[in-house]
Amino acid sequence: MPPALPTFLAVYSLLYAAFGVQSPFLPELLREKGLRAEEIGIVLAASTSIRVFAGPAVGHVADRLRRHTFILCACALVAAVAGLGYVIIQGFAGLLLVALVQAAMLAPIVPLSDALATTAARRSESGAGMRFEYGWLRATGSAAFVVGTMLSGWAASGNGLASIVWFSGTLLGIGGAAALLLPKIPAAPSLSNNLARSITRDWASLLEIPAFRLLLIIAALVEGSHALHDSFSVIRWRAAGVGLPVISALWSESVLSEVLVFLLIGPRLVRMLGPGGAIALAAVAGIIRWTVAAFTTSPILLAFGQPLHGFTFALLHLAAMQVIVRVVPLRLAATAQAIYGTLCIGLATALLTLLSGLLYGRIGGTAFLVMAALCLLALPMCARLQLSSGSLPRC
């Protein structure tokens, strides 16, 4: 078994590069396939909705079977194959089916990899292997996302948007195979054989944790506010005459800011401000970012707003991971990650993506003001999270 840190770095690089290749340009690919804005919103919302169920279900099965690495590999491989349907299949119904199948397989990838990574990072603090921090891995993943986005933008300019599907699928396949080499999560005692009953009991025990409940609400608002940007920003920019290379640069700029926050700025801010204060700062950044996006499509002005993504996403995520690793029992690590990342954020994103399709079809970029309002709504809750999480011991 290779050392944990290099293996994690390789897996995160491959998987997040695959996400970066496909994610920014998928809505535009669907538009090229003939789908209208409302249909694109339905496809993206439906694929996000199935993540809500697939992520927690697969994460809990992985916790119960203690087969996190094998299930992570299988999900990545099936997602790679399913993605080929975007090239082969035509029509709204067929593309909707492709999106649902691939989304169901992609949903567990981030929660499973984060559960493996946060567990290994916490064990490394006690001297069990090479010491590393979780933020290093997410910074590497974000950097790989940037590289994937930049390369796919240039490739799509010359070879068409269909090329991103092949590129992404190859990276997913290699990354999934490499995941088999990751260190496993230690086995937990006294696991029930009744899966249905254990799911109910485990989910109930997680939702009884006050800090975890509050985190879910805040994350749904702030993370969910990205739905309009992720679904329709590329379409809006292209309609304004912005070229694909510039779009890939803008998108990469936002993800590059993730790298800086994950690697350098974020851990210090979380230590200085606490989880609640850090998330409050993320919400303020969201208010500013979406307000700017509502009133301009100028690449120059957008270039000043896109780096706020490092706060609206990466800083919030680091603070959330600190809350989860402190208050959630180790035996439910993947389940908690899946509830946070797919059930909570996924459900919010699905609903807001569907709403985004309706809003963008009617009022265009002004819909970003609605996203800014969601961040404003989350602000008063951050102080309560600070108090709740600050008084809880490590599990």
Side-chain angles (χ1 to χ4, degrees):
M1 184 71 68
L5 179 57
T7 310
F8 272 114
L9 291 175
V11 171
Y12 269 72
S13 296
L14 290 163
L15 294 178
Y16 278 80
F19 302 154
V21 167
Q22 178 173 306
S23 299
F25 300 108
L26 181 57
E28 178 64 11
L29 177 60
L30 295 174
R31 190 196 65 79
E32 283 193 355
K33 287 279 188 174
L35 272 59
R36 294 176 284 109
E38 291 81 1
E39 292 174 330
I40 294 173
I42 292 172
V43 169
L44 298 178
S47 61
T48 304
S49 298
I50 201 169
R51 291 171 182 258
V52 172
F53 302 100
V58 175
H60 195 270
V61 170
D63 277 336
R64 289 286 152 178
L65 299 180
R66 318 309 301 174
R67 300 295 300 275
H68 300 86
T69 56
F70 175 80
I71 293 176
L72 174 57
C73 173
C75 289
L77 293 177
V78 176
V81 175
L84 298 179
Y86 287 120
V87 177
I88 301 171
I89 296 176
Q90 299 288 337
F92 171 70
L95 291 171
L96 176 60
L97 179 61
V98 170
L100 290 174
V101 174
Q102 189 186 50
M105 293 297 98
L106 289 175
I109 290 179
V110 171
L112 287 175
S113 57
D114 280 354
L116 290 163
T118 53
T119 301
R122 184 166 62 175
R123 292 179 67 198
S124 74
E125 294 176 357
S126 61
M130 184 188 302
R131 183 186 178 279
F132 65 93
E133 294 185 11
Y134 165 78
W136 301 355
L137 305 180
R138 282 307 299 258
T140 300
S142 297
F145 190 103
V146 171
V147 173
T149 301
M150 292 295 292
L151 291 178
S152 63
W154 288 104
S157 296
N159 304 311
L161 286 171
S163 62
I164 68 175
V165 173
W166 297 97
F167 194 6
S168 176
T170 300
L171 292 170
L172 278 173
I174 300 173
L180 294 173
L181 301 176
L182 293 175
K184 297 177 173 59
I185 295 178
S190 303
L191 296 177
S192 171
N193 292 326
N194 189 324
L195 185 60
R197 182 180 300 173
S198 67
I199 290 177
T200 303
R201 184 175 63 249
D202 290 342
W203 283 34
S205 66
L206 286 172
L207 295 177
E208 288 173 358
I209 302 173
F212 186 68
R213 287 200 312 269
L214 192 56
L215 175 66
L216 296 183
I217 298 172
I218 297 173
L221 292 170
V222 180
E223 291 278 13
S225 71
H226 292 74
L228 180 62
H229 175 272
D230 295 347
S231 302
F232 291 99
S233 61
V234 172
I235 294 175
R236 185 174 186 230
W237 297 342
R238 288 208 72 183
V242 183
L244 283 176
V246 175
I247 289 174
S248 64
L250 286 171
W251 199 284
S252 299
E253 181 190 15
S254 69
V255 184
L256 183 59
S257 68
E258 288 183 24
V259 178
L260 297 177
V261 172
F262 276 131
L263 195 60
L264 300 175
I265 305 172
R268 295 182 181 180
L269 286 175
V270 174
R271 284 193 296 268
M272 290 172 53
L273 303 176
I279 294 176
L281 180 58
V284 171
I287 296 171
I288 299 172
R289 184 185 182 192
W290 306 136
T291 301
V292 171
F295 293 107
T296 184
T297 56
S298 166
I300 296 177
L301 295 178
L302 290 172
F304 286 99
Q306 288 294 91
L308 290 175
H309 184 74
F311 294 92
T312 60
F313 170 71
L315 182 61
L316 185 146
H317 189 73
L318 279 177
M321 292 300 102
Q322 185 172 110
V323 173
I324 291 174
V325 80
R326 288 183 63 188
V327 305
V328 170
L330 181 61
R331 68 182 184 87
L332 296 177
T335 305
Q337 291 285 352
I339 290 176
Y340 164 78
T342 57
L343 180 61
C344 165
I345 297 176
L347 180 59
T349 303
L351 295 175
L352 289 170
T353 300
L354 184 60
L355 178 63
S356 295
L358 299 173
L359 289 175
Y360 186 80
R362 288 164 173 76
I363 61 176
T366 308
F368 278 105
L369 293 178
V370 178
M371 305 298 113
L374 295 177
C375 295
L376 181 62
L377 185 62
L379 270 179
M381 307 180 194
C382 296
R384 292 171 53 198
L385 178 63
Q386 183 84 320
L387 294 174
S388 300
S389 60
S391 60
L392 289 171
R394 292 182 180 272
C395 294

